Amino acid sequence: MCEDVMKRARDAGFVGRTISLGLSYSRNAMTKGFHRSKTMDTPTNETLVMYKTCIELLDEYFAGEPARQLTVRISNLEREHSIQLDLFDERKPQRQLIGPTMDAIRNRFGATALLRAVSFTGAGTAIKRDRLVGGHLA
């Protein structure tokens, strides 16, 4: 899901400062869901930054109940050209190139042409979600 959200942000030419994670628990759960966000100092459209932030939020707020729905969102958007260069982060230019490169491969050869290894495990959802249209069977 983080890949999809960040791809749409990169395609539109935006970066965001606030990453949000929402989780709704099952009807049988003893607690309600949550929606939390984290605002970063520097805006980003890097997939792994969003993923790590979502994992941090999940680790902090997840109650261990069965989940029904998960949402991820980026907000507080700015144009991509507004990113401040960082003299001390030598790998930032490489990280900023990997996302658009992966997007170009997926645009040309299909959404499942380039996947992360987790997508081939039992927990992976990218291949199943590719067969859906708007979250429903086509």
Side-chain angles (χ1 to χ4, degrees):
M1 291 173 67
C2 293
E3 290 271 5
D4 294 340
V5 169
M6 290 309 218
K7 181 184 183 309
R8 288 195 307 268
R10 286 189 297 266
D11 287 348
F14 286 99
V15 292
R17 288 184 185 274
T18 304
I19 294 174
S20 303
L21 174 74
L23 190 126
S24 298
Y25 293 113
S26 161
R27 292 181 189 166
N28 300 330
M30 299 301 291
T31 184
K32 293 184 176 183
F34 66 88
H35 187 271
R36 298 290 186 266
S37 59
K38 183 175 182 180
T39 301
M40 299 173 292
D41 294 333
T42 58
T44 187
N45 60 12
E46 295 177 33
T47 300
L48 287 179
V49 172
M50 180 179 213
Y51 175 76
K52 289 176 184 176
T53 303
C54 288
I55 292 296
E56 289 173 14
L57 292 169
L58 191 64
D59 287 344
E60 186 173 348
Y61 296 104
F62 183 57
E65 298 284 338
R68 178 174 55 93
Q69 182 181 17
L70 181 74
T71 59
V72 292
R73 182 174 67 187
I74 187 169
S75 57
N76 203 355
L77 299 174
E78 304 173 8
R79 285 279 170 203
E80 190 171 17
H81 301 294
S82 68
I83 294 177
Q84 177 70 37
L85 296 177
D86 187 354
L87 297 174
F88 303 107
D89 189 358
E90 297 174 0
R91 301 204 51 141
K92 188 169 187 169
Q94 292 171 334
R95 287 195 321 266
Q96 286 180 320
L97 286 176
I98 191 99
T101 303
M102 291 172 67
D103 294 344
I105 292 170
R106 288 183 180 125
N107 288 341
R108 183 168 179 186
F109 298 106
T112 58
L114 188 62
L115 296 172
R116 297 189 184 274
V118 72
S119 296
F120 296 102
T121 66
T125 60
I127 296 170
K128 290 181 221 169
R129 284 187 13 247
D130 185 55
R131 296 185 191 122
L132 303 177
V133 176
H136 305 282
L137 290 174

